[in-house]
Structures are given as structure tokens and as C-alpha cells.
Amino acid sequence: MNTEPRVCTSLVVHRRRCSVNFVPVIYGRVYNSRSTQSFESLLGKEGHGFNSDSTARLLSHWAALVPQRNQVDMEDFWTFALWALKTWLYLVISLIMIPAMFGFSLGISEAYMNILVKTLEWATLNIQKVTVERTLKASASNGLIQRDDGSMEKEFEELRRSRPKPLVGGDFALSDCFYFTRKGIESIVEDEVTQRFTSEELVSWNLLTRTNNDFQYISPRVTLVYGIGIFVRYCILAPLRITLACIGLSWLVIGTSAVGLLPNWRLKFWLSEWVHVMCYRICARGLSATIRYHDSENKPQKGGICVANHTSPIDIVILCNDGCYAMVGQVHGGLMGVIQRAMVRSCPHVWFERAEMRDRHLVTKRLKDHVNDKEKLPILIFPEGTCVNNTSVMMFKKGSFEIGATIYPVAIKYDPNVGDAFWNSSKHSMVSYLLRMMTSWALVCNVWYLPAMHQQEGEDAVQFANRVKSAIARRGGLVDLQWDGGLKRSQPKVWFKEEQQKQYSSMVVGDDSSSHSD
């Protein structure tokens, strides 16, 4: 005789003696009175007639009701998740998105920035009190070697004045070799180009682990604040910013595609500018961006070219938050391609195929055609051709200065204390960089609009580009460098090496050339 039904029977009978409604009580959240009646019909009101057949019926009834309980639990879970998502979207749209669309604020960003600034000031004071010896000294060169602001020619002239002039042989002396040897060793240890493609050093820790220095344990309070900051940045700010970025990009694609269906009337161009600016404002709020625009009377006008120093792809969001521009770039695929095709339907942006980018004459012609139409938006160009770490401005490519259009210089300077805006494309992908930005504290920057500049008589495109670059560097408090940003990924060109050799030769020879000519 099989004993398994007896075990089940005795177990159920024993439990039923304790309470007739045992099973309905345990699963009371799922079973109703109808379920209780079905159990009682299986067991009998007083438990009489309980046998192996009733046990089998009871177990089969349990097997039928347990999936119902799981199904109800899943329905409750998805109902709660849907409610939470709706509530989240309602708050984001009403408190952030709608104010951003119309260019006003409810004071939430200002309150957050005030709390953030006070928190960072408190952390800085505690760090300085606990470990004064660890406090970093500010360095203008942003590196290991301290360099003077003067040029090499001035340094070499002062060096020669400080020693007696030789009676014969001109200004050259054998000791000049030591000066060039020292400069060569400095360039090997830390050159002026490589350090412009690394994150900017901070004077004090900003409670982010992305600074280049290895900050050590300070105090329990600073560690606690750092832990709270991780929770705030990754669990509150990151989901909020990702939501706003998705809304902004989706609205950009949908809005520009819808506007592109309209005929080419004045209303279409007005709606296109409004949709572009509105979407960029939503994306700027998604980065907790605090932007201060200076000298707005010098804003770029239609039929001109806006040139600016380049730190990050977010530079486009920063500038377009205050006005609409026509973009210039290469045609991409994937999500970027979808955005480009949607944007060009409503606004005449200048996109090139990969093969067309190599044809300088074609690029120049299309840019000229664009700026000659005074009804089209100003073109936004970053002449450096690469991202620099917000400490300097590198050589401008001369292409945009050969067109003969009005140039509107713009200087952009980010505050590194609340977040590192520099994109090191050789180290981080675009997705990785955007995630880093969305988990930073905030984005604070200043934008200066400089007066319009024109090419002067007798001035070639290279000289014009250098003059504009120097003006941007002075206004933004950046270092003006003559080096090409293309050295980030390629070797120096031959003509550039020859120019440097001629410069060194003239410095070493000095007045010898004039004496030999006599």
C-alpha cells in the first residue's frame, strides 16, 4: 500500500484540526469566499469523509490557485510601476520641461546650485583643515613643470643680456646649448600639447573621483558627504537627466520632422527656430546647466559665421540654448543620422558626405552659398577641429576664414569645480562621456559674445584666424597656443618642423647673420 497519500492526509488533517479555515487564512489575500466554500466542499464541514481522493482533489485545487496568486501579485507590481512612472513623468514635465520650453525657472536649479556650492565650500574647508600639506597649489601650466608666460625668444634675449657680450663671433656662446637642452628635456617630460588633452587639475577636491590626483581619506564627515553624493548623483540626478535627454531628443526629431512638412513660409522658419531652441533648453536642464551669457548685443547675426573654442560636444547645447545656428558636419548613420535628417527638413544645415569632406573647394562653395543668403541662420564652426581641456585655445583651421564672411567670435569657459566638461575622445566613447556628464554635480559655464571681426587689407586667412583666436583666448582667460590640435592623433607636418628649425636657428645665430653680411 502506498504511504504517500497517508502522509499528505495526516498533515492536512492535523492542520485542519487546528483551524478549519487554515488554507483560506494563509492565502487570504488571494482567495475569496468562493474559494473557501470550494475547500470546505473538498474537506467536508467537519472533516468527515477525508480520504486519499479528497487529498488529491485538495492538492490539485492548490495547484490551480497558486498561479492565480502569482498572477495577481504581478498585476499589482505592474500597476504600481505604471503609477510611479506616470507620477515621475508628470513631475518632470510640469516642474522642469515646461519651464525650460518657455525659458523661465521655478527656482529649483538655483536652490540646488546654492546647496551644492555651500557643500563644496564646506568640504574644501575641512580638507584644508585636516591635511594642509595635501592641498594642491594652483599651477598656470596645469602640470609638473612651472613655465613662465613669456615666449622663448624673450627668455633667450634676457639670458644673453645677463652675460658679457663676446668680443668676436657675434652673440653665440657655447653655453647657449644648455638653455636649449633644458627646454628639450622639459618638452620630453611634459610638452605643451599633450597636457591640453587631459582633464584640468583642480585646486581642491570636488567630491568626484574623476580628478587626476589620488585624493586619500580625509575625515568621517567628508566620507559621509561623499557617500550621500554618490546616492544623489546616481539614484536621483542620473534618472532625471536621462529622462530629460530622451524627451529633448525625441521632441527634436518629432518637432523638426513636423515643421519640415510645412511650406517654406516665414512661419516655418520661426517654428523651426523655436523648436530647436526649446529642445536644446530641455537638454541643458537635463545637465543641470547654469549658463551666464555676456555682451548679448554682439550675438551672431544671419549671414555670418560664429566661431568658438571647443571643449565638448555639449558646446552646441550651450550656444543653441541662447539662439539657433546652422550646423556644419559629416553625415552619420544610426541615431545621429536620424537626428540630422530630421533637423535638415526644417532648417538648412550644411551636412557633407565623407567623400565631400575631402574636397575643400566644394566645402568652401557650399559655405559661401549659405552665408551669402542673409535669410539663413549663422553657421556654427569650431575651428580647432578637436576638443581641448578648457585651459587653452589651439591653432584655428583657416578654412572658415577664407570665405570672406563676417566672423562672430565666442569664448566659452567652463567651471571645473562642479564637473569636468572636457571630452577626451581617445579615452572615452560618446556614450561613456555622456554618462559621466549625467552623473556629475552640474555644468556651469560663461559665454562671452565678442564684437564682429572682418578680414583686414593685406591680411591672409592664417593671420586673420590667429587674430580671432587671440581675441577669444584673452576674453575667456585661456592660454593662446600656436600648436595644431591635430597633433592629438597625428605627427607634425614637415613644413611645421622646418619653421621651428628656422626659428631656433635665428635665435642661436642672433646678430651673427648681420655681421657676416657686412
Side-chain angles (χ1 to χ4, degrees):
M1 182 177 178
N2 190 2
T3 59
E4 183 177 355
R6 292 185 178 180
V7 175
C8 297
T9 302
S10 61
L11 177 62
V12 175
V13 169
H14 174 72
R15 290 186 175 178
R16 192 174 178 278
R17 287 173 184 173
C18 298
S19 174
V20 174
N21 295 326
F22 171 76
V23 175
V25 169
I26 295 298
Y27 296 100
R29 293 179 299 173
V30 181
Y31 304 148
N32 50 24
S33 59
R34 188 175 301 174
S35 301
T36 305
Q37 293 175 2
S38 63
F39 270 108
E40 290 176 351
S41 65
L42 288 172
L43 297 176
K45 283 289 184 180
E46 301 299 331
H48 299 297
F50 190 88
N51 53 28
S52 59
D53 295 336
S54 61
T55 302
R57 290 197 302 271
L58 176 61
L59 293 177
S60 64
H61 195 76
W62 274 1
L65 290 179
V66 168
Q68 296 180 10
R69 175 177 178 269
N70 295 333
Q71 182 180 0
V72 172
D73 288 344
M74 290 300 297
E75 291 178 356
D76 292 341
F77 170 77
W78 288 115
T79 301
F80 174 78
L82 182 61
W83 174 83
L85 180 61
K86 288 182 178 179
T87 304
W88 175 261
L89 291 177
Y90 287 153
L91 292 175
V92 169
I93 292 173
S94 59
L95 298 180
I96 300 178
M97 180 177 170
I98 293 179
M101 290 170 59
F102 296 97
F104 67 91
S105 175
L106 298 179
I108 300 176
S109 300
E110 290 77 5
Y112 167 72
M113 288 304 303
N114 290 333
I115 296 173
L116 177 61
V117 169
K118 292 181 180 179
T119 302
L120 294 179
E121 290 177 351
W122 173 85
T124 301
L125 292 175
N126 278 268
I127 293 173
Q128 291 176 350
K129 288 179 182 179
V130 175
T131 54
V132 180
E133 66 276 5
R134 296 183 199 168
T135 304
L136 301 177
K137 296 182 180 180
S139 173
S141 63
N142 188 34
L144 301 172
I145 299 175
Q146 301 290 333
R147 290 186 174 91
D148 298 329
D149 295 333
S151 62
M152 188 183 298
E153 291 84 350
K154 293 181 180 179
E155 291 183 12
F156 200 65
E157 289 177 3
E158 293 180 359
L159 179 64
R160 284 183 166 174
R161 289 197 201 101
S162 62
R163 70 186 183 204
K165 188 174 182 179
L167 299 177
V168 292
D171 294 333
F172 175 75
L174 188 60
S175 59
D176 294 341
C177 300
F178 294 104
Y179 175 79
F180 291 104
T181 302
R182 179 172 65 87
K183 286 295 182 181
I185 295 175
E186 289 180 356
S187 297
I188 293 173
V189 175
E190 185 181 66
D191 62 275
E192 288 185 339
V193 177
T194 305
Q195 61 176 317
R196 306 302 170 181
F197 303 116
T198 58
S199 296
E200 183 179 0
E201 296 285 354
L202 300 180
V203 176
S204 184
W205 190 31
N206 60 353
L207 299 180
L208 294 174
T209 57
R210 299 158 194 178
T211 50
N212 292 348
N213 294 276
D214 184 19
F215 286 95
Q216 302 176 9
Y217 171 78
I218 303 298
S219 67
R221 291 185 297 177
V222 175
T223 304
L224 177 61
V225 172
Y226 171 70
I228 295 174
I230 292 178
F231 173 79
V232 171
R233 289 187 290 110
Y234 284 89
C235 299
I236 298 178
L237 294 180
L240 173 63
R241 291 168 176 173
I242 292 174
T243 302
L244 288 172
C246 294
I247 292 175
L249 293 178
S250 302
W251 183 242
L252 179 64
V253 174
I254 296 172
T256 52
S257 299
V259 172
L261 300 176
L262 299 175
N264 292 329
W265 295 344
R266 188 180 298 272
L267 177 62
K268 176 182 179 179
F269 301 131
W270 180 84
L271 286 175
S272 175
E273 294 183 22
W274 183 73
V275 169
H276 277 83
V277 173
M278 178 180 60
C279 296
Y280 286 123
R281 285 176 178 174
I282 294 174
C283 294
R285 293 290 176 91
L287 295 171
S288 302
T290 300
I291 313 169
R292 303 181 184 91
Y293 298 97
H294 308 275
D295 306 324
S296 296
E297 65 275 7
N298 298 324
K299 285 179 61 174
Q301 303 298 320
K302 294 181 178 180
I305 298 178
C306 173
V307 298
N309 58 300
H310 198 25
T311 304
S312 159
I314 300 176
D315 295 339
I316 298 175
V317 178
I318 297 300
L319 293 177
C320 293
N321 196 50
D322 192 42
C324 196
Y325 296 89
M327 306 298 170
V328 177
Q330 181 180 318
V331 176
H332 294 275
L335 177 60
M336 184 63 69
V338 173
I339 297 174
Q340 286 180 325
R341 289 190 294 272
M343 291 172 62
V344 80
R345 291 192 187 103
S346 63
C347 180
H349 298 281
V350 185
W351 305 126
F352 296 96
E353 297 291 343
R354 182 181 295 272
E356 295 177 340
M357 292 292 292
R358 301 173 183 173
D359 190 348
R360 291 188 56 188
H361 297 288
L362 177 61
V363 173
T364 303
K365 181 180 181 304
R366 291 190 59 183
L367 293 179
K368 281 184 177 180
D369 294 340
H370 185 98
V371 298
N372 289 334
D373 189 349
K374 302 304 178 183
E375 295 298 324
K376 292 184 178 180
L377 297 173
I379 297 176
L380 177 60
I381 295 179
F382 301 102
E384 288 173 293
T386 187
C387 295
V388 186
N389 69 349
N390 201 38
T391 61
S392 58
V393 184
M394 305 195 78
M395 186 179 74
F396 280 4
K397 303 292 190 297
K398 66 178 182 178
S400 56
F401 299 90
E402 294 176 332
I403 301 174
T406 303
I407 301 295
Y408 295 92
V410 177
I412 306 174
K413 177 66 176 178
Y414 292 91
D415 184 1
N417 293 317
V418 294
D420 183 17
F422 169 61
W423 179 36
N424 188 353
S425 57
S426 60
K427 186 177 180 182
H428 303 289
S429 64
M430 175 64 76
V431 176
S432 174
Y433 168 75
L434 292 177
L435 290 177
R436 287 167 62 89
M437 292 305 303
M438 290 182 179
T439 54
S440 296
W441 290 117
L443 193 67
V444 178
C445 71
N446 289 276
V447 177
W448 290 275
Y449 296 111
L450 279 68
M453 301 179 69
H454 301 82
Q455 190 170 1
Q456 299 176 352
E457 272 188 53
E459 187 179 44
D460 59 17
V462 175
Q463 294 172 339
F464 185 29
N466 290 333
R467 184 161 60 91
V468 174
K469 177 172 67 72
S470 299
I472 292 176
R474 286 194 304 270
R475 193 65 186 88
L478 305 169
V479 180
D480 186 6
L481 296 178
Q482 301 297 326
W483 298 99
D484 185 2
L487 295 174
K488 179 179 182 179
R489 295 183 179 89
S490 61
Q491 296 294 327
K493 297 180 180 178
V494 177
W495 65 266
F496 189 80
K497 292 181 179 180
E498 293 176 352
E499 293 230 344
Q500 294 295 314
Q501 292 171 356
K502 291 179 181 178
Q503 180 182 359
Y504 282 112
S505 175
S506 62
M507 290 171 57
V508 172
V509 174
D511 295 337
D512 289 356
S513 57
S514 60
S515 62
H516 284 300
S517 61
D518 294 339

